[in-house]
Amino acid sequence: MNIVLIHGANTSPICWNWVGSNIGQHVCAEWDILNDTEYNLEIMEQRLLSNTLLVGHSMGGLYAWHLAQRNPNKVIGAISVATPWGGVIQADILNFFGHPMPWSRMVARHSQWTIKCRTQEPPVPWTNVICTRGFDFFGVGANDGVVSVKSQRQLALPHDDINFYYSHNEVLQSKELVDIILQRKLNS
């Protein structure tokens, strides 16, 4: 099995260093928040091999969903971590003020990117890790410091939800996340 780790916005593959060092062989898919989302998908598709498990953090989870949908012959499963399936209010605010970044359009609550993930079944067996420990300046209710718990729970069924009491980035240093990845690797 091939494991592809996909980072979130405002970060890089470095965020996966600890997890990567504990799961063995893997590839990190890199994308750039300044690029169009379609361009990012095409770049990531070039790294996909058959028999791939995708693991996406935050916006990387949205990219994983779209990669799996477009490549069902290569992707056999996925794990999303702290992913804004329902969008994020911060993106809505940035878009209201004309923020030009493609990523803010991607994670807006009413974007086609998030709507598809909420209304269409996941294209492969899916595990959705929900992070619940955080504080958000925008006061969106229970959240992980970046994404509301409500948004993280809005992935369409069927899928498995797992709740972690970690913040948005803290989860990337957790043994529990490594255990989930290794278990999925063994069971696939």
Side-chain angles (χ1 to χ4, degrees):
M1 168 188 293
N2 300 294
I3 298 176
V4 175
L5 305 175
I6 307 170
H7 65 84
N10 303 316
T11 187
S12 73
I14 292 171
C15 74
W16 289 111
N17 282 356
W18 190 84
V19 168
S21 68
N22 286 283
I23 63 169
Q25 186 67 32
H26 67 279
V27 172
C28 287
E30 193 164 1
W31 60 276
D32 190 324
I33 64 171
L34 300 177
N35 291 336
D36 178 73
T37 52
E38 181 63 29
Y39 177 80
N40 285 332
L41 277 171
E42 290 170 5
I43 295 297
M44 286 186 271
E45 283 176 319
Q46 294 173 10
R47 303 206 63 171
L48 281 182
L49 301 171
S50 60
N51 200 34
T52 294
L53 172 68
L54 297 172
V55 183
H57 175 247
S58 195
M59 273 183 55
L62 289 167
Y63 273 118
W65 191 94
H66 288 277
L67 284 168
Q69 181 188 49
R70 291 165 55 142
N71 300 277
N73 58 327
K74 294 182 177 180
V75 178
I76 60 168
I79 300 169
S80 52
V81 183
T83 298
W85 303 113
V88 292
I89 194 169
Q90 299 91 321
D92 293 337
I93 292 168
L94 291 171
N95 291 336
F96 178 79
F97 289 108
H99 191 269
M101 297 293 186
W103 70 265
S104 67
R105 290 188 302 275
M106 178 182 172
V107 295
R109 291 181 290 173
H110 302 292
S111 78
Q112 287 303 308
W113 275 77
T114 59
I115 290 171
K116 278 186 177 182
C117 299
R118 292 191 305 266
T119 59
Q120 296 178 15
E121 287 186 13
V124 295
W126 207 281
T127 300
N128 186 35
V129 175
I130 298 165
C131 296
T132 62
R133 180 178 144 186
F135 171 79
D136 181 22
F137 174 74
F138 292 97
V140 295
N143 63 80
D144 68 0
V146 177
V147 180
S148 73
V149 171
K150 179 180 177 183
S151 180
Q152 292 177 65
R153 292 188 196 281
Q154 290 185 15
L155 175 63
L157 294 173
H159 68 272
D160 296 323
D161 278 341
I162 299 174
N163 294 302
F164 282 172
Y165 186 66
Y166 286 110
S167 67
H168 192 76
N169 293 310
E170 181 182 39
V171 69
L172 297 174
Q173 306 295 313
S174 73
K175 182 177 179 334
E176 293 89 344
L177 180 57
V178 167
D179 291 344
I180 288 171
I181 296 169
L182 291 175
Q183 183 175 3
R184 284 293 303 271
K185 182 179 177 180
L186 288 173
N187 294 338
S188 296

